[in-house]
Amino acid sequence: DIPTQEQLIAQATAQINAAASTTASTAAEPTTVAQTPASLRTYGNAVMAVFSAHQDASAQNTYLAIGTANDTQNPAALAQLKRIGAAYQAIAEDLVRTPVPKTLSPLHLQLANDFAALSATYPDMETMLEDPLRGLSGIQRYASMLNEAQRVLTNIAGLLGKDGILFSKDEPGASWSAFLSS
């Protein structure tokens, strides 16, 4: 019957989510530096440079690979997810190596952990065609973590702006304005 089926699906989803939460890696503490206008500017540019260095990590690429695989029922389209997930993990690792002004450290650590958690959703999403429940659970966690990462980035952008840190259009840090306008 339908209520029993829904209960079984809910239990299976809960088990998948519980297993996934234990496999997400946590980033190490980043190196902190004194907070000065110069260190804030350097930090803002460095974080945006990390994202620029790993452009494969994108929601558009992720959803395109999943959509193509589902539309064509071709698992080869899901092979791109390995590369995209690796790019998210590389962002997390690069963020941990980025020196951060002391007051931004908690947000920065959360951001690194969010990107590690984003990366951890990819093995589940790669199973979309063979295990749809696990694949959908991965997509849900991915969307949730992506929203969380955007929230943290918006908070960091707000703090940089509050401290009067402005970036010229030629600096990587100019991208922070996109988070303030969203």
Side-chain angles (χ1 to χ4, degrees):
D1 63 13
I2 291 178
T4 303
Q5 289 175 359
E6 289 175 354
Q7 183 181 15
L8 290 172
I9 290 170
Q11 289 172 348
T13 302
Q15 287 177 346
I16 290 169
N17 288 337
S21 66
T22 61
T23 60
S25 61
T26 301
E29 287 285 330
T31 302
T32 58
V33 296
Q35 182 165 324
T36 65
S39 69
L40 288 167
R41 175 178 296 290
T42 300
Y43 169 77
N45 282 319
V47 169
M48 288 302 147
V50 166
F51 293 131
S52 292
H54 303 288
Q55 293 184 10
D56 283 342
S58 80
Q60 181 178 356
N61 291 344
T62 300
Y63 292 133
L64 181 61
I66 292 168
T68 301
N70 280 327
D71 289 347
T72 63
Q73 291 298 299
N74 183 355
L78 294 174
Q80 297 174 50
L81 293 179
K82 283 197 186 310
R83 175 181 46 83
I84 300 167
Y88 276 106
Q89 184 60 39
I91 287 173
E93 293 166 2
D94 286 355
L95 286 173
V96 169
R97 290 190 291 269
T98 301
V100 56
K102 191 165 182 72
T103 59
L104 293 178
S105 184
L107 285 172
H108 184 79
L109 179 60
Q110 180 63 48
L111 185 64
N113 284 332
D114 288 347
F115 276 87
L118 280 164
S119 174
T121 65
Y122 280 80
D124 288 341
M125 289 189 289
E126 290 171 23
T127 68
M128 179 60 69
L129 296 179
E130 61 196 50
D131 187 350
L133 184 60
R134 183 175 167 205
L136 287 172
S137 177
I139 291 172
Q140 288 175 332
R141 284 192 331 279
Y142 173 80
S144 174
M145 291 311 306
L146 197 60
N147 286 336
E148 173 63 17
Q150 183 163 0
R151 184 191 64 77
V152 173
L153 285 164
T154 300
N155 287 338
I156 292 171
L159 291 172
L160 289 172
K162 181 180 164 203
D163 286 334
I165 307 303
L166 301 174
F167 299 94
S168 72
K169 65 179 180 174
D170 299 329
E171 292 179 288
S175 298
W176 285 106
S177 64
F179 292 100
L180 292 176
S181 63
S182 59

